[in-house]
Amino acid sequence: MNAGLRRSSLTYAFAAALVLLPSAMLAAPPPAHRELPKPTNLQVLPKDISSKDLMATMRQFTGALGVHCNFCHEQNAQTHRPDFASDAKPEKAAARVMMRMTAEINAKYLTQLPDKGGMMQVSCGTCHRGHSTPEEFIPSPEKEGSHKK
């Protein structure tokens, strides 16, 4: 076979692959996601929470506190993955206290205030603002003459 014919055959084969490859990729199923285990040891969140809602809640926590899963969840020594059911870390107990606190503030106290055009609620981010421990608030010193009488 001469070089020109061989080059031409390779060109056609390459062109055919470019045409057929995208259609083969479209027909292939997406990669399977690992099924999350059913949550256990839920003490504040609803026991029937969906995996989707649970993950959304956990993402809110990580964003509000600027942390990752291992901040509250102990790592399993054998699997090297988070042991979500474990209560070994004190941060997890603190998170439960804080969840109950914000729920109580929202339900018991903020419902008594006049609504200013939207639902008034506190969340983890209200105080934490991306930090694992809320930063201390130090008010600016008052300027002389700015005090209302």
Side-chain angles (χ1 to χ4, degrees), residues 19-134:
V19 169
L20 296 175
L21 186 61
S23 61
M25 289 173 66
L26 290 175
H33 291 284
R34 190 170 56 109
E35 186 67 27
L36 294 173
K38 182 164 176 41
T40 58
N41 196 19
L42 294 176
Q43 296 179 20
V44 179
L45 295 172
K47 299 212 185 298
D48 62 347
I49 190 170
S50 71
S51 293
K52 181 181 175 184
D53 289 342
L54 178 61
M55 292 308 296
T57 300
M58 293 297 128
R59 283 187 194 102
Q60 288 175 342
F61 293 157
T62 62
L65 277 71
V67 297
H68 295 285
C69 304
N70 62 351
F71 184 77
C72 290
H73 298 287
E74 185 73 24
Q75 185 183 65
N76 181 303
Q78 285 77 37
T79 65
H80 302 290
R81 291 201 158 133
D83 182 353
F84 296 117
S86 172
D87 288 332
K89 294 191 85 173
E91 292 84 357
K92 187 173 181 182
R96 287 177 173 144
V97 169
M98 301 300 269
M99 290 167 63
R100 288 181 182 109
M101 178 191 71
T102 56
E104 183 176 359
I105 290 169
N106 288 325
K108 187 174 179 181
Y109 299 102
L110 293 183
T111 56
Q112 298 178 38
L113 298 175
D115 196 356
K116 304 239 189 245
M119 281 191 60
M120 199 171 6
Q121 285 194 326
V122 297
S123 69
C124 304
T126 304
C127 298
H128 284 268
R129 299 178 182 254
H131 301 282
S132 60
T133 303

